[in-house]
Amino acid sequence: YVESSYPARSSGRNRHRSSNLLPRPFSVFRGYLFIMKQPLLEQETSSSSEATGTKSLFTDAGWFSIITFSWMGPLLDLGRKKPLDLHDVPSLDDSDSVHGVLPNFKAKIVSNSATGQFTDATAVKLAKAIVLTTWKPILVTAVYALLSSVASYVGPYLIEYFVDYLNKSSRSSREGYLLALTFVVAQLIEGLSTRHLQFRSKQVGVRARSSLVAAIYQKGLALSSQSRQSNSSGEMINVVSLDAECVGDFSRSMHDLWRLPVQIVLAMLLLYSTLGFCPAFAALLATALTIGGNKPLGRMEQNYQEKMMSAKDVRMRAMSEILQSMRILKLQGWEMIFLSKIIELRKVEMNWLKKNVYTSAMLLSIFFSAPAFVAMVTFGVCVLMGIPLETGKVLCALATFRQLQTPIHGLPDAYSMIIQTKVSLDRICSFLCLEEL
């Protein structure tokens, strides 16, 4: 294309004049512009199904296919027979592609902004824009989370009835079949709702991450010279690869803020119906004591997370400057001097990373030992109050404590994800608020 962009050769004096009309550097630049306008893939990505010629399997699937995930069957069967090519993979729906999500995301931010730009974006406004952009799948995942939480306690609730049924001298077959059928249906609902909760939550995370990455990229193209001097390309890479991904991963824990307390309430109600008020209240106090005792560790983890991300930015800025000035470093023989500087910055980053990991390990160790502590307190109160511990009640309580492990173990992860997401949102907002051209 560069050769074809030259003007036609002519003879004599006009040949020299015509060749100066389009210098070679400008021709090369025009050639690069032409190449950059070509899509990276053979198929257009601006629209979804019409561009690629294939429809979105998930969008066109029926309700039974969606419930059982059988809409993935043809693709998996084709992948079993041969390596998948680009044209074999179905296209995304417009609501799942960045071309469909980004305009809505930017419109939500602009509507909440006083200036109509990203320059006054805050973490609250950014989170609100993400929620308003993906509110439909968030609502669907909330229903799945509620179904999964309720169905998970049906099994422990039925254990006492199973034991009473087996201890009866005269058993009714109808009652036994009904108990078994109820247990199987509850487990089936729990399994399907949990799988769909994970799938839909990942879908929300992909939409949020795609919107943030596209917005950050467009912002990076419009930065002023002063903003580019104060923020290196390494910091922009950190914002895209770490912070945007952290916000997208928060979708897995977005319902834990209300789901985990609901599970704790269901466990306390089950213990109240099985052991009585005092043991259930003792179990609640033990659970609250375990959860409330980790607030200082949570604050320490937030502080270490912020320090670690700041140290990472400093190291990436130094790495970018060294790579850009590598010719000068080689000429002057300064490789080892600047290598020692990078090692020192890496040691600072590793120091904050170790403190963050150790704090997280302490949180996890406390919460893993919490169910045994709750069981010990509950059964101790039963022994002190003279409450008979029958076989059915003990088995039901143990099953409840086992189900109670899920909210107790999930609380440190959810709290940690909230802290990391807040830090990432603040960093993204600080980048989006930079001065533009």
Side-chain angles (χ1 to χ4, degrees):
Y1 178 81
V2 173
E3 293 295 334
S4 64
S5 63
Y6 289 150
R9 295 175 180 261
S10 58
S11 59
R13 227 170 10 180
N14 293 332
R15 176 179 177 181
H16 178 72
R17 183 179 301 173
S18 62
S19 63
N20 290 332
L21 294 178
L22 190 60
R24 182 177 179 84
F26 184 72
S27 303
V28 175
F29 180 70
R30 283 187 57 188
Y32 287 157
L33 287 180
F34 176 78
I35 295 173
M36 290 173 63
K37 290 180 180 179
Q38 302 303 310
L40 295 178
L41 303 179
E42 295 179 359
Q43 299 149 340
E44 295 290 338
T45 57
S46 59
S47 60
S48 57
S49 58
E50 295 180 358
T52 59
T54 56
K55 296 182 179 180
S56 176
L57 296 180
F58 178 72
T59 305
D60 299 337
W63 65 271
F64 182 78
S65 179
I66 292 177
I67 291 176
T68 58
F69 292 98
S70 60
W71 55 274
M72 284 291 296
L75 182 62
L76 296 177
D77 185 66
L78 183 61
R80 180 178 60 88
K81 296 178 181 178
K82 71 178 189 69
L84 294 177
D85 298 326
L86 182 61
H87 63 274
D88 296 328
V89 180
S91 62
L92 292 174
D93 189 69
D94 289 336
S95 59
D96 293 323
S97 63
V98 67
H99 303 284
V101 176
L102 182 60
N104 191 16
F105 174 73
K106 294 177 67 175
K108 299 301 181 184
I109 293 183
V110 170
S111 62
N112 295 326
S113 175
T115 61
Q117 297 179 355
F118 288 111
T119 53
D120 60 343
T122 60
V124 177
K125 294 180 181 179
L126 204 60
K128 184 178 179 180
I130 295 174
V131 172
L132 293 178
T133 306
T134 59
W135 68 272
K136 290 183 179 179
I138 289 178
L139 185 61
V140 172
T141 53
V143 176
Y144 286 132
L146 183 61
L147 285 176
S148 177
S149 301
V150 174
S152 63
Y153 284 95
V154 175
Y157 179 75
L158 294 178
I159 286 180
E160 186 175 4
Y161 291 95
F162 270 112
V163 174
D164 294 339
Y165 173 76
L166 294 176
N167 290 331
K168 290 181 180 179
S169 57
S170 59
R171 306 171 190 168
S172 174
S173 301
R174 182 178 180 181
E175 183 181 358
Y177 286 137
L178 183 60
L179 286 174
L181 181 62
T182 305
F183 183 80
V184 170
V185 171
Q187 293 297 315
L188 182 63
I189 293 175
E190 180 188 1
L192 289 176
S193 58
T194 303
R195 300 288 84 76
H196 282 280
L197 173 62
Q198 295 175 354
F199 173 72
R200 294 285 188 168
S201 298
K202 188 65 177 179
Q203 187 181 28
V204 173
V206 169
R207 292 183 182 182
R209 182 179 180 273
S210 301
S211 303
L212 291 175
V213 170
I216 292 169
Y217 179 74
Q218 292 182 357
K219 181 70 177 184
L221 295 178
L223 289 180
S224 62
S225 299
Q226 183 179 1
S227 299
R228 291 182 184 276
Q229 292 176 0
S230 60
N231 294 268
S232 62
S233 59
E235 293 179 354
M236 180 178 176
I237 293 174
N238 277 341
V239 173
V240 171
S241 61
L242 297 178
D243 297 318
E245 186 175 359
C246 180
V247 176
D249 291 339
F250 178 71
S251 61
R252 297 177 299 178
S253 307
M254 61 182 175
H255 293 298
D256 290 346
L257 300 176
W258 62 268
R259 182 190 178 193
L260 299 180
V262 167
Q263 291 181 350
I264 294 176
V265 170
L266 291 175
M268 295 303 112
L269 291 177
L270 187 56
L271 290 175
Y272 171 74
S273 63
T274 304
L275 300 177
F277 175 76
C278 292
F281 185 72
L284 180 61
L285 287 180
T287 304
L289 181 63
T290 306
I291 296 174
N294 289 271
K295 286 187 177 181
L297 292 177
R299 295 193 186 98
M300 292 173 59
E301 186 180 16
Q302 181 180 4
N303 185 27
Y304 294 154
Q305 178 73 15
E306 293 176 354
K307 297 292 185 181
M308 184 187 67
M309 298 303 293
S310 300
K312 189 183 294 292
D313 287 340
V314 174
R315 181 179 62 85
M316 291 298 295
R317 188 185 300 114
M319 286 292 298
S320 299
E321 294 177 358
I322 289 174
L323 292 176
Q324 292 174 2
S325 307
M326 184 57 67
R327 182 177 299 178
I328 299 176
L329 297 182
K330 289 289 186 180
L331 182 63
Q332 300 293 336
W334 293 341
E335 298 95 333
M336 301 307 298
I337 297 177
F338 282 87
L339 177 61
S340 62
K341 294 180 180 294
I342 294 298
I343 292 176
E344 291 296 327
L345 294 177
R346 180 61 178 169
K347 287 182 179 179
V348 175
E349 180 185 354
M350 287 296 296
N351 183 29
W352 293 116
L353 179 61
K354 287 180 180 179
K355 291 182 179 180
N356 188 19
V357 172
Y358 290 155
T359 307
S360 300
M362 293 174 63
L363 282 170
L364 288 176
S365 62
I366 292 176
F367 274 88
F368 271 107
S369 61
F373 174 70
V374 174
M376 180 184 66
V377 171
T378 304
F379 289 138
V381 171
C382 290
V383 172
L384 292 177
M385 297 188 63
I387 298 176
L389 296 176
E390 301 175 355
T391 305
K393 294 182 178 181
V394 171
L395 292 177
C396 180
L398 291 177
T400 305
F401 293 144
R402 183 177 180 182
Q403 292 294 329
L404 195 60
Q405 288 179 358
T406 301
I408 292 180
H409 292 171
L411 280 175
D413 293 336
Y415 192 64
S416 176
M417 285 297 298
I418 292 173
I419 294 173
Q420 295 177 12
T421 304
K422 183 181 180 302
V423 174
S424 298
L425 285 175
D426 291 336
R427 287 164 51 85
I428 293 174
C429 289
S430 63
F431 183 83
L432 294 178
C433 292
L434 294 176
E435 183 182 3
E436 298 183 1
L437 292 175

